[in-house]
Amino acid sequence: MIKQRRIWSWLLIGVMAIAIQFLAISGANAAVTDYLQEQKFLTNVWQIVNRSYFDPEFNNQNWYKVRRQFINRKFNSREETYAAIKEMLATLDEPFTRFLEPEKFKSMQTSTAGELTGVGLQIAVDEFDERVTVIAPIEGSPADLAGVRSRDRIVGIDNIPTKGLTLDECANRMRGAIGSEVKLTLERPLADGKGVEKLDLLIKRDRIAVTPIIAKLNQEGDHKVGYVRLNQFNGNASADMEKTLKKFKAEGADRYVLDLRGNPGGLFDAGLQIARMLISEGTVVYTVDRHGVQESFETKGDAIINEPLVVLTDGGTASASEILAGALQENHRAQLVGTKTFGKGLIQSLYELEDGAGLAVTIAKYETPLHHNIHKRGIIPDVEVSLSEPITRKQLGTNEDSQYIAALSVLDGTYKNVIVKSAN
């Protein structure tokens, strides 16, 4: 009986040993599988950039060596892989190519579709001094109503300095639940250009419905002027613009003012479609890829309106709105009135990754119809008119808007001291 018990004991010990060994092997296999999955995920991001990025020199570095530096690391979680991807992309030293976690990627897709939540700011990193700069507040957004302006510098978010933070880190700190508050510390250049004003703004987050177009038909003397304010090139912009132009045409508009002030851009295709509604014939824009190959985008002869047109611009006019402004100016379709545009001449493409995260990659730069590169330079308007002080949304496109008044006089041919300058 004792011998039998010993046999069963040894059998039990043997089974346990085999089970432990099996679990150890299974655990090791799972760890290897997880490791390979994270490597595969990082490699996929690397390959997208390798195929698509507009700079063939990858910021003067060997992109294959960069891959080796990161692929040999051991990632214990997807969050660690995310961090490594951000570190890898940072070597490009180009803020518009960036990784977006699933929530941020979904938020960006929602924004281009026409609605979002938060404070309503379009921001960029100034490539001269690497400071976070407001391109433009979205019209009617909490930031707009609180008084944030184009070209304001965001130096702090809830008392956290923004120096050293990425665009996405800044954007993430400004996001939050509807009704919650965030404090922005801003630096604003003084009117005389000597020094800056520092101010704190407490902003309550809210849902932001982005209405791409605000339009009205103004009776100005003997003329009916279609005033069209285009706020953003989102998914609704081109359809809304087509509807607006056809409506004004039917109502007898014989002149137009297109207001691109504070328009931070958006979808490239939307800008292209709207340009074709306004220009009968000519080149809208050239794109130049990493190989120096130029692709031209032409109008198709199906412009909706051909009446006289003036475009209003300022420092918040950026990206796709600069494509449109440059096309109208250099095809002699319209004169630009206002101040110099922002100067963003790069085009990004969005890639969705397997886990719902996303990747924004700069795939090309664009040139105006006369082959001007406006990146970091902006477009100088034909008629330079500055606002002596900010105006409210209700004043836009009225006789209290000095730039709009200047646009009307340009349409009449009565504007004095016209300063005509080239785009570069």
Side-chain angles (χ1 to χ4, degrees):
M1 188 72 178
I2 295 174
K3 186 176 181 181
Q4 188 177 11
R5 286 180 179 175
R6 285 179 179 173
I7 291 171
W8 278 109
S9 296
W10 281 110
L11 285 172
L12 181 60
I13 292 170
V15 170
M16 289 177 64
I18 292 171
I20 291 170
Q21 186 178 16
F22 176 78
L23 290 172
I25 292 172
S26 298
N29 286 339
V32 170
T33 301
D34 290 344
Y35 170 70
L36 293 176
Q37 284 180 341
E38 298 311 310
Q39 276 197 326
K40 180 182 176 182
F41 189 85
L42 184 141
T43 299
N44 184 35
V45 171
W46 180 90
Q47 288 175 335
I48 291 172
V49 176
N50 187 54
R51 290 193 305 265
S52 308
Y53 192 58
F54 84 115
D55 176 12
E57 300 297 326
F58 298 95
N59 190 28
N60 297 312
Q61 61 182 342
N62 187 316
W63 193 235
Y64 286 90
K65 286 185 178 180
V66 172
R67 177 183 178 275
R68 287 198 296 270
Q69 291 171 9
F70 287 90
I71 204 64
N72 292 327
R73 294 185 185 179
K74 183 178 180 180
F75 306 115
N76 296 312
S77 67
R78 183 52 55 91
E79 286 67 30
E80 289 186 9
T81 309
Y82 286 170
I85 289 171
K86 291 178 182 179
E87 188 180 344
M88 180 175 70
L89 296 178
T91 67
L92 297 171
D93 194 27
E94 188 266 297
F96 301 110
T97 295
R98 60 200 189 278
F99 177 80
L100 302 158
E101 287 92 344
E103 183 179 342
K104 295 177 183 176
F105 183 61
K106 184 178 180 181
S107 176
M108 175 174 281
Q109 290 177 308
T110 303
S111 173
T112 56
E115 59 179 47
L116 63 157
T117 61
V119 298
L121 279 179
Q122 297 280 351
I123 59 175
V125 173
D126 190 298
E127 296 185 47
F128 293 105
D129 59 15
E130 298 185 347
R131 301 178 70 184
V132 180
T133 303
V134 174
I135 298 177
I138 294 173
E139 186 162 353
S141 68
D144 182 33
L145 298 175
V148 180
R149 302 178 191 171
S150 298
R151 298 288 180 178
D152 281 350
R153 307 284 193 173
I154 303 175
V155 297
I157 303 172
D158 284 334
N159 298 318
I160 303 297
T162 59
K163 186 175 182 180
L165 297 181
T166 65
L167 281 178
D168 288 319
E169 288 170 336
C170 290
N172 193 46
R173 289 184 180 278
M174 288 188 282
R175 293 190 185 101
I178 293 174
S180 61
E181 293 182 328
V182 59
K183 185 175 79 171
L184 299 186
T185 302
L186 307 175
E187 286 185 354
R188 179 175 297 163
L190 295 175
D192 59 7
K194 299 176 181 178
V196 296
E197 171 190 9
K198 196 167 184 176
L199 61 158
D200 290 324
L201 295 179
L202 194 63
I203 304 174
K204 184 176 289 188
R205 301 177 178 98
D206 202 352
R207 186 177 304 280
I208 303 161
V210 182
T211 304
I213 289 177
I214 298 172
K216 55 186 175 180
L217 189 62
N218 294 336
Q219 187 69 46
E220 305 290 356
D222 297 330
H223 298 285
K224 288 184 177 180
V225 178
Y227 170 79
V228 184
R229 179 166 174 79
L230 180 56
N231 293 310
Q232 190 183 57
F233 292 87
N234 64 22
N236 304 322
S238 57
D240 285 4
M241 176 64 84
E242 181 178 2
K243 187 186 303 182
T244 299
L245 293 178
K246 288 181 176 178
K247 177 177 180 290
F248 282 171
K249 190 178 183 70
E251 293 175 350
D254 59 350
R255 296 180 178 189
Y256 290 85
V257 174
L258 175 61
D259 191 347
L260 296 179
R261 293 175 294 182
N263 183 325
L267 300 175
F268 176 84
D269 285 344
L272 187 60
Q273 290 171 24
I274 291 173
R276 288 170 172 163
M277 298 176 196
L278 302 172
I279 302 171
S280 295
E281 185 178 355
T283 299
V284 176
V285 66
Y286 293 97
T287 61
V288 184
D289 67 13
R290 61 190 294 173
H291 304 295
V293 176
Q294 291 189 347
E295 183 176 3
S296 65
F297 295 83
E298 313 289 331
T299 58
K300 300 176 181 179
D302 52 0
I304 296 174
I305 62 167
N306 292 291
E307 287 77 15
L309 171 68
V310 167
V311 180
L312 299 177
T313 64
D314 67 3
T317 304
S319 196
S321 57
E322 291 177 286
I323 290 177
L324 178 56
L328 292 167
Q329 183 187 55
E330 295 188 5
N331 280 288
H332 305 291
R333 175 65 182 91
Q335 290 195 74
L336 274 51
V337 173
T339 56
K340 188 173 75 170
T341 63
F342 186 83
K344 180 181 181 288
L346 302 177
I347 299 171
Q348 284 75 45
S349 184
L350 289 177
Y351 299 85
E352 184 170 3
L353 304 174
E354 61 189 49
D355 67 346
L359 191 64
V361 182
T362 298
I363 59 170
K365 61 182 180 179
Y366 69 77
E367 295 179 354
T368 64
L370 296 181
H371 293 287
H372 290 131
N373 175 8
I374 62 93
H375 191 59
K376 301 183 186 179
R377 302 171 186 171
I379 299 174
I380 298 174
D382 301 292
V383 179
E384 293 189 88
V385 179
S386 299
L387 292 174
S388 56
E389 57 183 35
I391 59 176
T392 66
R393 286 183 294 121
K394 290 183 178 180
Q395 293 174 312
L396 294 170
T398 71
N399 58 11
E400 297 180 86
D401 181 349
S402 59
Q403 290 174 329
Y404 173 72
I405 295 302
L408 294 179
S409 62
V410 169
L411 287 169
D412 287 335
T414 59
Y415 189 81
K416 303 297 182 181
N417 300 320
V418 173
I419 305 172
V420 179
K421 297 189 176 181
S422 63
N424 274 291

